[in-house]
Amino acid sequence: SRASPPRDVTMSTLASGRVVVVHPRVAAASNRVDRANGKHTQPRRVSRIAGKPRFGDTASHAVSSIAVRPETFDRTRGRSSIKTSASSSGYGNNNFASSYETKPEAQQVPLDIPHWHSRALITNGRVFSETFPVRFDECGPDKRSTMRTVAGMIQECACNHAQGIWGRAQSMPVEMSEADLAWVCTRLHIVVKEYPRWGDQVQVKTWFESQGKIAARRDWEITDVSPEKNGQGVVIAKATSQWIAFNLVRRKLARIPQVVVEKFQTQSLMDSPVMGTSYAVDKLPDVRGLKGTTIPESHSVRRSDLDMNNHVNNVVYTEWLLESVPDTFWQKYDLQEIILEFKNECHDGDNVDAICCRECGPGGVLDCQEKPGTAQLVHMLLKRGFGMSPTEAEVVRARSVWRVKK
């Protein structure tokens, strides 16, 4: 049997149906109205343990069960203050007495929230522009973005450009998808003058131009448009890429349908190569077995590495290639540019080795000279012949150009 409550207490039932003991001082406080200043006090249940609120009450009786101290509502200002004392809490120990009152919030400094039109077709619809914030998870220990960040931005911008001219969730004209054709990137070249930092805003512009009936070139230009630039954007990076039409059924090159070529006349930007008219494509070397090649850095394809085409995304290859670069090189140099030639696909379950070596200068594998203050590495990704790809294959060849840290 339960003990009877003391004479000087009353019983109260919560919304949950539980019976609790209410001290007479708290019960009296529940009926007290200060009509002079328009304030009304309501009781909160007092815990038997050091005056702390009880945990575990459900939301159905939250108002009735919060009984640490009376809460005062100021009806004239619409704000509240909370005062705690020995008398109001039901405790006779004056050492417990304390007072807490919320003050009106000070006027806050307006947040620097950027106002931009994130996406737009400009230059008579021939150029697509998109502005990106540099996010926290896209930066390294120095608070700067990385080559992988830049590669991800230009890829996203290109895909959104495709949606803008060919329809939502469409990466190619409908005439190509109906013919089982797809765009395949064969080469990518990125040059970065300055990496944007966390919180910066960068504008990415992209455009393309057809090259005959089987290929096309896509270019990008990246500009820092952060507020502190005062509207004077600074170009910090550029990139170019080569694409071919590929038959997904026959697994070989294909011609771009004539109707698509005709549409390109109003969608593409002609004679505007971002790398200049004298830009030339040179062949990248095979570094297998060469002296000075690094120990292979192994990667197993994860589900998170796959894209909507069910193969490893090109941005992931960029990350894998750079993982083979020794730490001592990262400490001395900053990555300035990277060139990738895509040779094969990788799928879930494949195992890939990344290797690299110095291309020119002291310890280089080729007879060439480096520009002062720079260094060049050549890379390869090699598939080891497991999973969906039973034979060993070359996946990517690459070159990276580095500059001495400032």
Side-chain angles (χ1 to χ4, degrees), residues 163-310:
Q163 292 190 93
I165 58 179
W166 295 324
R168 183 179 180 185
Q170 299 296 321
S171 59
M172 67 197 75
V174 64
E175 293 83 2
M176 290 186 64
S177 58
E178 290 177 348
D180 297 319
L181 302 181
W183 291 114
V184 174
C185 183
T186 59
R187 196 174 192 273
L188 175 65
H189 185 183
I190 305 174
V191 179
V192 180
K193 297 179 181 178
E194 181 182 354
Y195 288 94
R197 296 179 176 272
W198 176 37
D200 285 350
Q201 300 160 27
V202 295
Q203 180 188 53
V204 183
K205 296 179 181 178
T206 186
W207 60 94
F208 67 90
E209 179 182 353
S210 61
Q211 297 178 320
K213 294 186 177 181
I214 62 172
R217 187 196 73 247
R218 177 176 285 277
D219 292 340
W220 294 268
E221 184 181 77
I222 302 178
T223 304
D224 187 349
V225 293
S226 300
E228 56 269 22
K229 301 299 181 181
N230 297 319
Q232 302 297 321
V234 178
V235 176
I236 58 174
K238 58 184 179 179
T240 188
S241 59
Q242 297 289 328
W243 298 75
I244 59 170
F246 188 76
N247 191 301
L248 298 173
V249 176
R250 298 178 181 178
R251 309 299 297 174
K252 64 179 184 179
L253 297 181
R255 286 181 174 271
I256 303 172
Q258 182 61 30
V259 63
V260 176
V261 175
E262 293 174 357
K263 288 181 179 180
F264 282 174
Q265 302 305 313
T266 59
Q267 297 170 337
S268 61
L269 185 65
M270 306 297 291
D271 303 322
S272 301
V274 73
M275 296 295 186
T277 56
S278 60
Y279 179 75
V281 175
D282 55 339
K283 187 177 180 180
L284 300 181
D286 185 337
V287 301
R288 284 175 287 188
L290 295 181
K291 184 179 179 180
T293 302
T294 59
I295 298 174
E297 185 81 20
S298 298
H299 302 273
S300 296
V301 177
R302 305 167 300 177
R303 286 188 295 273
S304 59
D305 298 326
L306 305 178
D307 58 19
M308 291 185 289
N309 297 315
N310 199 33

Side-chain angles (χ1 to χ4, degrees), residues 276-404:
T277 56
S278 60
Y279 179 75
V281 175
D282 55 339
K283 187 177 180 180
L284 300 181
D286 185 337
V287 301
R288 284 175 287 188
L290 295 181
K291 184 179 179 180
T293 302
T294 59
I295 298 174
E297 185 81 20
S298 298
H299 302 273
S300 296
V301 177
R302 305 167 300 177
R303 286 188 295 273
S304 59
D305 298 326
L306 305 178
D307 58 19
M308 291 185 289
N309 297 315
N310 199 33
H311 57 62
V312 174
N313 188 268
N314 291 347
V315 176
V316 177
Y317 291 142
T318 304
E319 189 174 34
W320 286 356
L321 287 165
L322 297 176
E323 284 296 324
S324 64
V325 178
D327 290 340
T328 53
F329 213 80
W330 285 102
Q331 294 167 3
K332 184 177 180 180
Y333 297 97
D334 284 326
L335 179 59
Q336 183 176 5
E337 63 182 286
I338 189 168
I339 305 171
L340 302 96
E341 290 181 353
F342 302 101
K343 304 289 187 178
N344 264 296
E345 299 176 331
C346 285
H347 302 88
D348 189 18
D350 286 345
N351 293 278
V352 179
D353 288 338
I355 57 175
C356 75
C357 61
R358 191 79 175 254
E359 183 177 18
C360 303
V365 297
L366 300 179
D367 184 15
C368 55
Q369 297 296 322
E370 297 172 337
K371 295 180 180 179
T374 67
Q376 290 183 193
L377 299 179
V378 282
H379 311 253
M380 287 188 74
L381 291 180
L382 301 170
K383 189 161 45 178
R384 283 187 277 142
F386 293 97
M388 294 180 62
S389 306
T391 59
E392 182 175 310
E394 182 181 353
V395 180
V396 176
R397 291 188 188 187
R399 172 185 290 125
S400 59
V401 180
W402 306 69
R403 59 174 176 261
V404 176

Side-chain angles (χ1 to χ4, degrees), residues 15 24 37 46 59 81 115 131 141 151 168 284 306 343 362:
N37 55 22
V46 179
S81 60
H115 298 280
T131 304
R168 183 179 180 185
L284 300 181
L306 305 178
K343 304 289 187 178

